Amino acid sequence: MLALKKEEAPEVFREAILYREWGHRLASLGSYPLAIDYFKKASKLAEVEDLRSLIGHCRALLRNAKYFKAEKLSGKCMTLDPDHYKARQMRMKALFQIGEFGHSLAHAYADIVEDESRFQVNDPEVQRQVRLKGLQRVIAKLYMGLLAIDKDFLEEIVSHPEIVASANRSSTLELLALANRMFPLKQKCLDALYKMVAWVYIDTRNLMCLENEEMKTRYLKHHLGIRVAMLPRDIDLAWMPTVNPKETLKMFRRRLALASAPLELVWLYHEFCKFLIDINRFDLARFYAKKGRDLAQKTDYDQWILNIDHLTLRIEIHQNNRNEAKDAAILALACARKLDIDYLIDFYERAVQAVEAELDVERIGDFDGIAARQQLILDLMPPGMKGEVDFLWRRMDVVPARRRLSVMPGCKPIDRKFKMPSTRRTILPSPRKDPERDARIALLKQHVPPLRRPGFVNFEEFE
């Protein structure tokens, strides 16, 4: 049997050019290491040095942060064609990246002089493109707001992918070390910012700048969350919500996970507590207020302690807890006296008085809510039923208040523990029976003419 000859690899037509184009394509996709390999293959297979392959190879090396290899290759490009503008551009960039700023500047100046002689001045097409781009930015800022800045940032990254290419742990640590050297007071500045935020909340509680006593009371109630207006608010009229609670909860979860500084965490707990009060999650709001106050005590910054005590006061007022609200107001007053600020002491003294005077007026004045509700129902009844309903309410007053609405009036309550069956089925006296009236009704029912429906056939008549 004849041995099979080993088949030779098929020859690719213009293989060097194919590898060069693959290298350009891979470089445009961001696969710079693979693109460098294909450029090397193209250079090895080329019969003569191809300037396009070398320029693409040099650009891929620069994008892959291999600056010294790119500098050597750019010198080779300049040797082949010193007048080629892309070769000079690669040479300028490579020299700049390795720190040869003087030589790089010389090449850049030469290019600028040549560009001025080559390109037109006051080109209307270029001016039109610049004006169109500026108009697009104005429209984006008008419709997107601050997101337009993020849009420009992302477009810049897309147009210059070398900014985020070849990221590794060592270079990241070097950048962080450089940032700390350039800005060593970063944490102190952030702490000062968090303290300024605390004062922003406190400054709004200055009632001494108001002349009218009625206005002071109104502002105080607004700060404490006590309802002042008699007309319904927007939220009472099914106003369209502008905040997505789920997305806001995700945002706070992410921010709390990323926060590490104590004052930053106190600020985030404060903001999260405010949001939970707005969505009526008072149990969670109380929990995070306690966590924020404990952390604020560790930082020994009384301004944040006062702000969180203020939120605790609002929580208790919202839930109509008079004693707890008074305790929170007294605690906030003690913190204000510790800060020794006159307008804060005045504010929380008024808060203590407002809690004692305004909160839970019904309980203080022995207000009977059940009796008021019964009177409203009685007023809605027609005149013929008012006597019976009033008699029903008076009969129900005998039942204790805690059991009054536990059973439906007029029904027999079932008592499983009571051995003897109850014969009384209603709280109203049963009407007197009239046998003659019942006999007349039964006789009339027998002689009532049947209701004729068109098209209906009763087949029982024909049986």
Side-chain angles (χ1 to χ4, degrees):
M1 184 178 221
L2 296 174
L4 294 175
K5 294 183 179 180
K6 186 178 181 180
E7 296 182 358
E8 296 181 357
E11 185 179 355
V12 180
F13 178 69
R14 303 181 71 176
E15 191 173 7
I17 297 176
L18 179 62
Y19 285 150
R20 183 191 68 195
E21 296 304 320
W22 280 2
H24 283 299
R25 177 58 178 166
L26 290 168
S28 66
L29 295 175
S31 301
Y32 301 117
L34 196 57
I36 292 170
D37 294 337
Y38 277 97
F39 281 125
K40 287 180 180 179
K41 290 180 181 180
S43 300
K44 187 183 296 184
L45 295 171
E47 296 178 357
V48 293
E49 294 289 351
D50 183 18
L51 186 61
R52 294 179 61 186
S53 298
L54 294 177
I55 290 174
H57 190 185
C58 184
R59 183 182 291 110
L61 288 171
L62 287 173
R63 297 285 177 85
N64 203 30
K66 296 179 179 179
Y67 303 125
F68 288 98
K69 291 183 180 180
E71 189 270 334
K72 292 180 181 179
L73 199 59
S74 65
K76 194 174 183 180
C77 295
M78 291 292 292
T79 305
L80 290 176
D81 189 357
D83 295 330
H84 198 283
Y85 75 98
K86 285 190 176 180
R88 287 184 302 187
Q89 187 181 18
M90 292 298 106
R91 183 66 176 168
M92 177 192 67
K93 290 184 177 180
L95 289 171
F96 180 83
Q97 293 295 342
I98 65 173
E100 296 290 340
F101 303 118
H103 293 85
S104 177
L105 186 61
H107 284 283
Y109 179 74
D111 289 340
I112 290 172
V113 172
E114 186 175 349
D115 289 343
E116 287 180 352
S117 62
R118 183 186 304 167
F119 299 107
Q120 288 184 357
V121 180
N122 196 17
D123 190 354
E125 181 62 22
V126 175
Q127 292 179 359
R128 187 187 67 82
Q129 292 178 0
V130 171
R131 286 196 298 268
L132 183 61
K133 190 174 181 180
L135 182 61
Q136 290 175 351
R137 286 185 177 178
V138 171
I139 294 173
K141 191 171 183 180
L142 180 64
Y143 285 98
M144 299 175 65
L146 296 177
L147 291 177
I149 301 174
D150 298 338
K151 173 178 171 292
D152 294 337
F153 174 72
L154 293 175
E155 288 178 351
E156 183 72 17
I157 289 180
V158 171
S159 59
H160 298 86
E162 68 272 12
I163 297 175
V164 293
S166 302
N168 52 57
R169 185 175 180 84
S170 60
S171 60
T172 304
L173 294 176
E174 290 177 4
L175 287 174
L176 290 175
L178 179 62
N180 290 328
R181 287 197 300 269
M182 294 176 64
F183 195 14
L185 302 178
K186 173 185 174 183
Q187 193 57 48
K188 291 184 179 179
C189 292
L190 288 176
D191 290 342
L193 176 64
Y194 302 143
K195 293 178 181 179
M196 289 171 62
V197 173
W199 279 109
V200 168
Y201 287 109
I202 290 175
D203 289 340
T204 59
R205 299 168 201 159
N206 186 5
L207 301 180
M208 291 185 173
C209 59
L210 302 175
E211 298 179 357
N212 190 358
E213 191 68 25
E214 182 181 357
M215 188 68 69
K216 291 182 180 181
T217 305
R218 186 179 303 168
Y219 270 68
L220 175 69
K221 290 182 179 180
H222 280 306
H223 277 285
L224 298 180
I226 300 175
R227 182 70 178 270
V228 177
M230 301 302 294
L231 295 176
R233 296 169 293 183
D234 292 339
I235 193 172
D236 300 329
L237 298 174
W239 195 256
M240 183 66 69
T242 57
V243 177
N244 188 348
K246 291 185 179 179
E247 294 298 327
T248 309
L249 286 172
K250 290 181 182 178
M251 183 265 294
F252 273 111
R253 185 182 294 113
R254 184 173 62 253
R255 290 177 64 182
L256 287 170
L258 295 175
S260 58
L263 283 176
E264 182 183 5
L265 281 170
V266 173
W267 175 38
L268 288 175
Y269 283 141
H270 179 272
E271 296 299 314
F272 193 31
C273 185
K274 280 181 59 183
F275 169 71
L276 291 172
I277 292 174
D278 292 337
I279 63 174
N280 297 327
R281 291 299 306 271
F282 301 112
D283 50 346
L284 285 175
R286 188 180 287 105
F287 172 74
Y288 281 100
K290 185 179 183 304
K291 290 188 69 173
R293 194 179 195 282
D294 294 341
L295 192 58
Q297 286 179 338
K298 291 180 181 179
T299 59
D300 198 20
Y301 194 67
D302 294 329
Q303 284 81 354
W304 275 120
I305 297 175
L306 179 63
N307 286 330
I308 295 177
D309 286 341
H310 184 85
L311 288 181
T312 306
L313 173 59
R314 292 195 61 182
I315 293 169
E316 304 301 342
I317 288 175
H318 273 290
Q319 293 195 301
N320 203 27
N321 298 328
R322 180 172 177 267
N323 296 330
E324 289 81 359
K326 184 177 179 181
D327 294 339
I330 293 173
L331 198 62
L333 177 60
C335 189
R337 286 172 177 166
K338 184 178 180 181
L339 291 172
D340 196 18
I341 300 175
D342 293 337
Y343 69 84
L344 284 179
I345 296 174
D346 174 70
F347 180 89
Y348 287 104
E349 285 179 350
R350 292 173 180 270
V352 174
Q353 296 173 4
V355 169
E356 292 177 346
E358 299 290 339
L359 193 62
D360 205 4
V361 178
E362 297 180 355
R363 186 167 56 184
I364 296 172
D366 294 330
F367 182 79
D368 191 355
I370 297 177
R373 190 176 295 109
Q374 289 175 353
Q375 185 62 37
L376 289 174
I377 296 173
L378 185 63
D379 294 338
L380 293 174
M381 292 292 151
M385 295 182 62
K386 283 189 176 182
E388 295 181 2
V389 175
D390 182 55
F391 178 66
L392 173 65
W393 295 147
R394 286 187 283 109
R395 296 277 296 183
M396 285 181 64
D397 287 340
V398 182
V399 183
R402 62 185 180 87
R403 292 189 65 250
R404 190 174 300 170
L405 299 179
S406 61
V407 296
M408 184 180 295
C411 297
K412 175 185 176 181
I414 300 175
D415 192 356
R416 305 288 183 185
K417 297 181 180 180
F418 189 64
K419 297 181 180 180
M420 300 296 294
S422 176
T423 57
R424 187 172 182 177
R425 298 180 180 272
T426 177
I427 59 175
L428 285 176
S430 58
R432 187 176 57 181
K433 295 183 179 181
D434 190 354
E436 295 180 0
R437 179 175 175 274
D438 295 340
R440 287 196 303 269
I441 292 174
L443 182 63
L444 289 173
K445 284 182 179 180
Q446 293 178 3
H447 299 281
V448 170
L451 180 63
R452 298 291 182 182
R453 286 178 288 176
F456 177 75
V457 178
N458 188 5
F459 292 98
E460 295 180 357
E461 298 178 358
F462 303 98
E463 291 181 356

